[in-house]
């Protein structure tokens, strides 16, 4: 019996316009009526994850920034695991020769060391934040970022929960990734061909989900998890009741997941919830 449903956001719960469909909303509400918990597991910050949920009228706990922080439905922080400053220094040292763009997710919001001109071009070319380019205009995104310098970032007392390294050339990212994966204690994942997502090794969706489940006395086989990209792999590799790949998921995710549902633009989350939890056949099973 499933007691907890965990869903990624971009490419999974959200459609290409960053919205939660009416069928997905109805499925989540049906879970609530059955006393089945629903939690979001996302690479987004808490603030960015909260907006589409609030718009849809959904109140739930949020595992955000790939597991670097967990917030309850009232916005209270339940867990945090930022990168160590020495890890941030090493990441910067490895990336400097390649002229990458950065998104530092901090407790003060997102920061970047790029110029506004670099940021605009990268966003409009769908290189920086490609998964939200259909959801937002440049003007709506740029106001969420602090434009700063490496010196300010490193000299601040801010916790850095997650770093995204962005470059238009996958071969450059491949070189960077090879070096970063040699570093102790850093988790490297990706949510798009143009980025790498870097967190502390103890800040991954899978480990954060397991800790969350243990705290709510839910066993792995009582969990259904859904995702579409590599940063979901740590939870879809777990021995859960069901692991679901979206119809639009990468081939890697489709190979690793137990089942495949419809795409994020075809209410794939609702289809999976209905078939595996809400239907009469699921109830009998």
């Amino acid at each position: 019996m499933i007691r907890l449903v965990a869903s990624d956001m971009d490419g999974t719960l959200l459609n290409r316009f960053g919205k939660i469909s009416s069928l997905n909303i109805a499925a989540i509400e049906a879970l609530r009526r059955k006393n089945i918990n629903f939690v979001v597991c996302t690479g987004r910050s808490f603030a960015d994850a909260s907006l589409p949920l609030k718009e849809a009228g959904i109140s739930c706990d949020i595992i955000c920034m790939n597991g670097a922080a967990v917030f309850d439905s009232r916005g209270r922080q339940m867990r945090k695991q930022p990168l160590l400053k020495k890890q941030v220094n090493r990441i910067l040292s490895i990336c400097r020769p390649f002229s990458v763009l950065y998104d530092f997710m901090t407790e003060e919001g997102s920061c970047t060391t790029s110029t506004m001109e670099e940021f605009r071009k990268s966003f409009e070319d769908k290189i920086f934040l490609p998964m939200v380019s259909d959801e937002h205009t440049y003007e709506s995104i740029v106001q969420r970022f602090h434009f700063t310098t490496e010196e300010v970032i490193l000299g601040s007392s801010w916790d850095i929960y997650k770093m995204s390294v962005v470059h238009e050339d996958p071969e450059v990212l491949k070189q960077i990734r090879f070096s970063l994966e040699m570093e102790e204690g850093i988790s490297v994942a990706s949510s798009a061909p143009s980025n790498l997502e870097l967190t502390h090794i103890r800040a991954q969706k899978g480990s954060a989900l397991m800790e969350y489940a243990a705290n709510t006395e839910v066993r792995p086989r009582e969990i259904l998890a859904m995702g579409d990209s590599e940063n979901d792999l740590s939870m879809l590799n777990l021995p859960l009741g069901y692991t679901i790949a979206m119809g639009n998921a990468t081939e890697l995710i489709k190979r690793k997941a137990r089942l495949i549902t419809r795409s994020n633009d075809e209410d794939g989350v609702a289809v999976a919830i209905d078939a595996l939890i809400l239907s009469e056949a699921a109830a009998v099973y």
Side-chain angles (χ1 to χ4, degrees):
M1 174 180 160
I2 298 299
R3 296 176 54 211
L4 172 63
V5 173
S7 175
D8 171 51
M9 292 195 79
D10 293 287
T12 302
L13 181 62
L14 306 181
N15 62 24
R16 73 180 68 184
F17 302 108
K19 306 296 183 183
I20 304 175
S21 72
S22 57
L23 285 180
N24 284 350
I25 294 170
I28 294 167
E29 174 60 22
L31 293 177
R32 187 192 64 79
R33 292 195 298 269
K34 285 181 166 287
N35 294 316
I36 297 170
N37 194 12
F38 178 82
V39 62
V40 161
C41 295
T42 180
R44 292 187 176 212
S45 67
F46 173 73
D48 284 344
S50 297
L51 291 174
L53 292 169
K54 183 177 181 180
E55 182 181 279
I58 295 171
S59 176
C60 67
D61 297 342
I62 300 173
I63 296 171
C64 57
M65 296 176 284
N66 288 358
V70 181
F71 292 82
D72 70 13
S73 59
R74 297 182 181 180
R76 297 175 298 193
Q77 192 171 64
M78 303 162 64
R79 177 190 194 269
K80 71 174 184 176
Q81 178 56 72
L83 285 158
L84 305 178
K85 277 296 171 74
K86 65 179 182 180
Q87 292 175 322
V88 175
N89 266 304
R90 285 297 300 147
I91 292 167
L92 291 172
S93 295
I94 289 168
C95 293
R96 279 192 194 103
F98 298 97
S99 300
V100 302
L101 301 184
Y102 299 104
D103 176 1
F104 299 86
M105 287 190 177
T106 77
E107 56 193 349
E108 298 298 322
S110 282
C111 302
T112 184
T113 56
S114 68
T115 66
M116 293 192 77
E117 291 75 17
E118 290 170 333
F119 188 93
R120 176 187 282 274
K121 184 178 188 307
S122 186
F123 178 82
E124 291 178 348
D125 291 345
K126 295 192 174 183
I127 297 166
F128 201 108
L129 303 176
M131 70 291 294
V132 298
S133 294
D134 289 332
E135 177 185 351
H136 293 289
T137 63
Y138 168 76
E139 288 73 20
S140 69
I141 285 292
V142 73
Q143 63 185 351
R144 299 186 186 185
F145 279 80
H146 303 287
F147 287 80
T148 186
T149 64
E150 285 186 18
E151 291 74 22
V152 170
I153 289 286
L154 293 173
S156 76
S157 59
W158 301 340
D159 282 332
I160 299 173
Y161 293 98
K162 173 184 164 187
M163 287 177 63
S164 290
V165 175
V166 180
H167 199 281
E168 62 185 353
D169 188 344
E171 287 303 312
V172 169
L173 291 178
K174 186 177 179 179
Q175 292 181 59
I176 294 171
R177 181 168 192 154
F178 178 81
S179 297
L180 288 172
E181 288 181 338
M182 303 293 287
E183 295 293 316
E184 184 178 356
I186 296 176
S187 171
V188 185
S190 176
S191 60
S194 58
N195 77 11
L196 297 175
E197 298 183 348
L198 314 173
T199 56
H200 192 283
I201 196 68
R202 292 199 294 271
Q204 299 182 67
K205 290 186 181 184
S207 56
L209 177 60
M210 284 296 91
E211 182 178 316
Y212 177 86
N215 289 338
T216 53
E217 299 183 345
V218 173
R219 293 169 291 186
R221 67 173 181 270
E222 297 174 320
I223 301 171
L224 181 154
M226 292 175 276
D228 73 302
S229 64
E230 188 200 354
N231 69 358
D232 300 310
L233 192 58
S234 63
M235 67 176 180
L236 299 184
N237 266 337
L238 295 169
L240 307 181
Y242 292 107
T243 53
I244 314 295
M246 303 301 293
N248 53 285
T250 65
E251 289 305 311
L252 172 64
I253 293 300
K254 287 180 178 178
R255 289 196 303 270
K256 293 294 184 179
R258 180 175 166 187
L259 299 168
I260 300 173
T261 185
R262 293 183 185 175
S263 77
N264 63 319
D265 285 331
E266 300 172 305
D267 309 300
V269 167
V271 169
I273 289 173
D274 182 65
L276 300 173
I277 300 175
L278 302 177
S279 68
E280 290 185 13
V284 171
Y285 179 78

